[in-house]
Amino acid sequence: MSGRRTVEEQLVRVLEAVQVLEAETRAIRDAAGRTLADPATAAHDIPLFDNSAMDGFAVRAVDVAGASEEHPVTLRVVADLPAGVATDPALGQGEAARIMTGSPTPTDADVIVPFEDTAGGLADSLGEVRVLRAPAKPGVFVRRRGADLHAGDEVVLAGERLGAFQVAAAVAAGIAEVTVTRAPRVAVVSTGSELLAPGESPERGRIPDSNGPLLEQLVADADAEVVLVARVTDDADAVRIVTAEAVALGADVIVFTGGVSAGAYEPVRGAFDGGGEVEFSSVAMQPGKPQAFGVLASGALVFGLPGNPVSVAVSFEVFVRPALLAMQGRTGIHRAIASFTADAAWTTPPGRRQYLPAIVDLAARTVRPATAGGSGSHLAGCLARAHAFAIVPAEVEAVAVGDEIDVMLVG
């Protein structure tokens, strides 16, 4: 293509090709990390019944309204209510029930007096109790039925991820099953005759394949399933063979690293260029300028990312991750972006949006490069220190100390 495509234009091209995956019903405890296709509605109220928020005594507010240290009110303890009991003892005038946190409050009680507001506390809590401080008002320390939500309320909305908090809320609301989208199946393929398997002894001209492990983790973090991890040499036929293998495994997405630029040995370009399925583009960003994207006859999305590790990380965050989340029907598909103040100066590429591996100080709201070497896409070591990308617009020529910078938080 002539000219460079903007990041937004490339992302639109990607997202227009995304199809939301089919839904399936799963037990709530087996659905963690999935995205809801339909809202999860409460089967019952939360709380299920009026219950005590404190360890103490369930009483009638009228009986203790005048209690003070100078004029304590003595009540007769007629019941003991540990958590888990279903009894509902009657309370007459001047009577109380000892009660523990979470236990159902008696129908006749309308306030809880904590042990701390009595003369004997827990040590002298059966038989009689002397109340030293009157509750501020009726209802104090009573958790009312349905105060959190009611049966039929939407607990988790469609398009939301079932994280730990959402699973806990759904279980508390009596939800046993949910309808969620299937996890995308992803094949990860590193290209390059120079690549060594992790752990192999390095040698001149050969380097470890860090892109494969990087993408495995990034894919998993996007709640997708890795179905294939492979390395191939700089050979177009090898790319065609591994593509067929990925399709046979049911891959929804195939992510290649390397082999998409304009060099003499570009196997991804050699395998797909001119076939009409995959488009090779130049995107106005640094790193990550060469990009490939397309849709195979099987329906699988193909991403061709540059081969340098920082380029892979940036390209995944900008293009692949949003696509994987969109395939799951996720409401929010983009990382959070916040404004930070630069506490170091750095250079930027002319005419390209910069994504710089960065270190942020959340307390001071400052950002600085993760490496003194700039944004070099080969500087894989800096990724260990980076937990953000500083995003600098294409029209900005340089960043100075004190400049306000948009930052994508990734870790």
Side-chain angles (χ1 to χ4, degrees):
M1 60 176 290
S2 61
R4 287 179 184 161
R5 184 174 287 174
T6 66
V7 171
E8 287 76 16
E9 289 170 342
Q10 180 71 5
L11 184 58
V12 167
R13 166 78 178 91
V14 169
L15 295 180
E16 284 180 343
V18 168
Q19 300 286 330
V20 178
L21 297 172
E22 65 272 16
E24 57 188 18
T25 299
R26 295 179 73 96
I28 182 65
R29 294 187 63 182
D30 294 329
R34 293 294 191 77
T35 301
L36 282 179
D38 297 319
T41 58
H44 55 62
D45 296 347
I46 301 180
L48 269 165
F49 42 80
D50 292 356
N51 69 90
S52 177
M54 297 289 285
D55 295 328
F57 299 90
V59 305
R60 305 187 321 159
V62 66
D63 288 342
V64 294
S68 67
E69 293 189 13
E70 295 78 18
H71 302 286
V73 172
T74 301
L75 302 176
R76 186 165 64 95
V77 180
V78 298
D80 189 21
L81 303 174
V85 301
T87 54
D88 187 5
L91 298 182
Q93 182 178 356
E95 294 181 334
R98 188 174 75 163
I99 193 167
M100 301 300 149
T101 302
S103 183
T105 55
T107 301
D108 292 336
D110 58 359
V111 73
I112 304 297
V113 175
F115 284 134
E116 295 85 347
D117 291 341
T118 67
L122 177 62
D124 185 21
S125 57
L126 292 175
E128 286 187 345
V129 58
R130 286 189 299 152
V131 178
L132 304 179
R133 283 174 286 277
K137 60 183 179 179
V140 172
F141 299 129
V142 177
R143 301 165 175 160
R144 295 299 184 189
R145 175 174 180 165
D148 189 4
L149 53 78
H150 296 284
D153 287 348
E154 292 186 352
V155 182
V156 189
L157 304 180
E160 290 190 356
R161 180 183 187 271
L162 281 170
F165 295 171
Q166 292 72 30
V167 169
V171 170
I175 297 168
E177 294 182 334
V178 287
T179 303
V180 295
T181 51
R182 175 174 63 76
R185 294 186 286 262
V186 182
V188 171
V189 184
S190 305
T191 73
S193 299
E194 76 280 13
L195 298 179
L196 297 169
E200 281 192 83
S201 299
E203 58 186 77
R204 181 177 175 82
R206 306 290 302 281
I207 59 174
D209 172 25
S210 61
N211 288 337
L214 169 64
L215 283 174
E216 282 187 82
Q217 188 62 56
L218 291 174
V219 168
D221 288 347
D223 298 319
E225 176 189 0
V226 178
V227 296
L228 174 67
V229 178
R231 282 182 305 279
V232 299
T233 60
D234 290 321
D235 179 83
D237 285 338
V239 169
R240 295 187 187 99
I241 290 169
V242 78
T243 299
E245 182 181 356
V247 170
L249 289 171
D252 303 295
V253 176
I254 307 172
V255 184
F256 291 97
T257 62
V260 298
S261 193
Y265 305 98
E266 305 291 339
V268 178
R269 184 180 286 273
F272 293 111
D273 200 13
E277 292 180 315
V278 177
E279 178 186 37
F280 293 81
S281 308
S282 178
V283 180
M285 60 190 291
Q286 184 202 51
K289 181 177 70 171
Q291 294 286 329
F293 177 74
V295 183
L296 301 182
S298 67
L301 305 185
V302 173
F303 289 89
L305 312 183
N308 285 311
V310 180
S311 298
V312 172
V314 169
S315 300
F316 185 93
E317 291 294 338
V318 176
F319 302 120
V320 184
R321 186 175 187 274
L324 291 176
L325 298 186
M327 293 174 77
Q328 297 169 66
R330 192 75 58 84
T331 302
I333 63 172
H334 298 293
R335 293 280 197 186
I337 293 179
S339 181
F340 285 73
T341 302
D343 70 352
W346 69 82
T347 59
T348 61
R352 288 194 282 166
R353 181 182 299 170
Q354 183 183 48
Y355 291 85
L356 181 74
I359 298 170
V360 297
D361 184 325
L362 293 176
R365 303 290 293 183
T366 58
V367 59
R368 60 186 173 88
T371 174
S375 61
S377 58
H378 62 293
L379 300 172
C382 74
L383 289 176
R385 296 183 292 276
H387 37 262
F389 289 110
I391 306 173
V392 185
E395 61 271 18
V396 174
E397 296 181 357
V399 172
V401 174
D403 286 352
E404 291 298 306
I405 302 296
D406 282 344
V407 173
M408 177 195 296
L409 302 174
V410 298

